[in-house]
């Protein structure tokens, strides 16, 4: 049978995924801005980025997509650029949690 997800279940799977160089979760950093579930198992991740082009984007996407795919989800990804407010919060959290590469 095909796996089916609610938004809450999908969120539960990715809420603890951490940023590779910041000691914080992608959810808390605001990078994982939203996720939606359609057709029972198609999870669309909305990633908010501090800049349009970030070198580790694929790594971030994979770190979220991997556990969802293992649970049986199909993945779609949308990216948006953070608002100034979201950016400010991100940079504060980045500074506080930076652990380098």
């Amino acid at each position: 049978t095909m796996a089916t997800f609610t938004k809450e279940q999908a969120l539960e799977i990715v809420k603890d995924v951490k940023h590779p160089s910041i000691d914080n979760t992608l959810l808390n950093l605001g990078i994982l801005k939203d996720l939606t579930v359609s057709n029972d198992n198609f999870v669309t991740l909305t990633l908010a980025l501090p800049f349009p082009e970030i070198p580790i984007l694929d790594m971030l996407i994979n770190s979220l997509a991997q556990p969802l795919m293992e649970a049986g989800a199909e993945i779609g990804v949308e990216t948006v650029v953070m608002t100034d407010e979201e950016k400010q919060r991100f940079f504060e959290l980045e500074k506080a949690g930076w652990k380098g590469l």
Side-chain angles (χ1 to χ4, degrees), residues 6-7 10-11 14 32-37 43-46 68:
T6 61
K7 179 173 179 162
L11 203 50
V14 293
L32 177 56
K33 188 180 176 98
D34 194 18
L35 62 78
T36 55
V37 179
V43 179
T44 302
L45 302 166
T46 301
L68 285 164

Side-chain angles (χ1 to χ4, degrees), residues 4-101:
T4 62
F5 295 88
T6 61
K7 179 173 179 162
E8 289 71 26
Q9 287 168 323
L11 203 50
E12 188 62 32
I13 292 171
V14 293
K15 71 177 173 51
D16 296 325
V17 173
K18 287 199 159 181
H19 189 286
S21 45
I22 304 168
D23 190 21
N24 213 323
T25 65
L26 295 178
L27 183 61
N28 196 37
L29 289 166
I31 291 176
L32 177 56
K33 188 180 176 98
D34 194 18
L35 62 78
T36 55
V37 179
S38 51
N39 303 337
D40 294 332
N41 82 325
F42 193 89
V43 179
T44 302
L45 302 166
T46 301
L47 274 63
L49 310 170
F51 315 103
E53 297 296 321
I54 62 167
I56 61 166
L57 180 59
D58 288 347
M59 192 195 297
L60 297 179
I61 291 170
N62 289 339
S63 68
L64 293 164
Q66 200 62 46
L68 285 164
M69 291 190 303
E70 282 167 16
E74 288 185 56
I75 306 294
V77 178
E78 289 174 2
T79 57
V80 296
V81 176
M82 288 179 176
T83 63
D84 288 345
E85 208 173 294
E86 288 169 337
K87 239 180 257 194
Q88 194 180 344
R89 184 173 170 272
F90 169 78
F91 289 129
E92 283 166 15
L93 289 167
E94 179 186 51
K95 199 172 153 190
W98 184 255
K99 57 181 191 316
L101 296 170

